[in-house]
Amino acid sequence: MAKSPTFTTAHQPPGQSRLDSRPIVAGIVTALVGFTSSFAVVLAGLRAVGASPEQAASGLLALTVAVGLGVLWLAWRSKVPVTLAWSTPGAALLATSGAVDGGWPAAVGAFLATGVLIAMTGLVPALGRLMARIPATLAQAMLAGVLLQLCLAPFQALGTVPLFIAPVILCWLLMMKLAPRWSVPAALLVALAVIGISLAAGGTTLGDGEILPGLAWTAPAFSLQAIAGIALPLFVVTMASQNVPGVAVLRSFGYDTPWRPAMLVTGAGTAAAATFGAHAVNLAALSAALAAGEEAGPDRHRRWVAGFTSGFAYLVLAAFSAALAALVTAAPAGMLEAVAGLALLGTLAGAVSAALADPEDRIAPAVTFLMAASGLAFAGIGSAFWALAAGLVVRLVLKPRSPGAAG
């Protein structure tokens, strides 16, 4: 993908106050929605690939700090309301991948490799063009298959811990009707309240060591299985489901994304934070509209302040990340996955719709979806890689022959 020019600032429109607080409020809301709606997915993903509770909390802290610092730099330098996030679809991929050969150190090595690949898309335009050649329908089908098992978790939990999960689902449904943007944060608050009541009833308390933020460094290890089973699918999912849509969201509001700086910052941030458990940092997609739209004020030339403010807000949220991680980790079995599944229902619906959008090209995406959902692991490599490979093969075989081909 070629480098895009940044949106240039202009003089302040007459009569427009530079003290407008709306960009600041929009930035805070952007960070709150981005963090609370998906941190449970991050914890579930990191735990699934072998992280201990302390390592998962470290990963969440490292991600939050990397996102905050990256947004501060990009928004200030470009004067564009660019916002960052962690890869929520990537975390969902981890949650269904399971441990790889080499355990947690190998997963950390895969995270580091993912950061290098992201940075390379900013340095090497050919890599961006290669990524663009992967059919979007197959990338979305792979994502949908990965998300399926996690999105089943809330309904499976109804059969195991109904008293815990039923209030969460009811809150989510009600908020989807009244205020969809806040449906997952509200459901999370209910879940935290239910977990708190459960812990109090059982006489369980959290120690200071569990609620104070801290980083746990892990020496990375590199293996072919982890690179193929985690790094490559994580890179594809992050680019196709976060970075490319993030560019489109900003463009829809009239802003050009600083593509090369964004890829360098997010790639370097991912690589730097990987040894502390961070899986991937990227452009924000859905929450990007909060900082770039009308909610950030009528003056389009000042909306970059919303992005900049979201960076500060993420750094503040980092101070509470360990406490939230400890509380969620202490939840009854299945509760964490159930909350994560609710957070991803909208993403699943969008991925399925995009995968099957072309009526002339549905078989290859369907194979990709089913292969990813199957959980197949072969040669130590998870189903996401094989799903994408199978989809490409099926698409190639079923591709109509050109009119000039010999009969």
Side-chain angles (χ1 to χ4, degrees), residues 30 33 83 85 181 241-242 245-246 249 253 283-291 343 346-347:
T30 298
V33 171
T83 51
R181 180 181 302 156
S241 302
Q242 295 276 172
V249 169
F253 289 101
L283 291 170
L286 295 178
S287 60
L290 297 173
T347 305

Side-chain angles (χ1 to χ4, degrees), residues 52-118:
S52 67
E54 294 76 17
Q55 290 166 335
S58 171
L60 179 61
L61 173 60
L63 282 168
T64 309
V65 171
V67 167
L69 294 178
V71 172
L72 289 175
W73 175 259
L74 287 171
W76 174 261
R77 293 285 294 178
S78 67
K79 296 302 187 287
V80 171
V82 60
T83 51
L84 301 183
W86 49 62
S87 178
T88 301
L93 169 70
L94 299 179
T96 57
S97 295
V100 295
D101 290 343
W104 175 241
V108 168
F111 300 162
L112 199 157
T114 301
V116 172
L117 288 172
I118 293 173

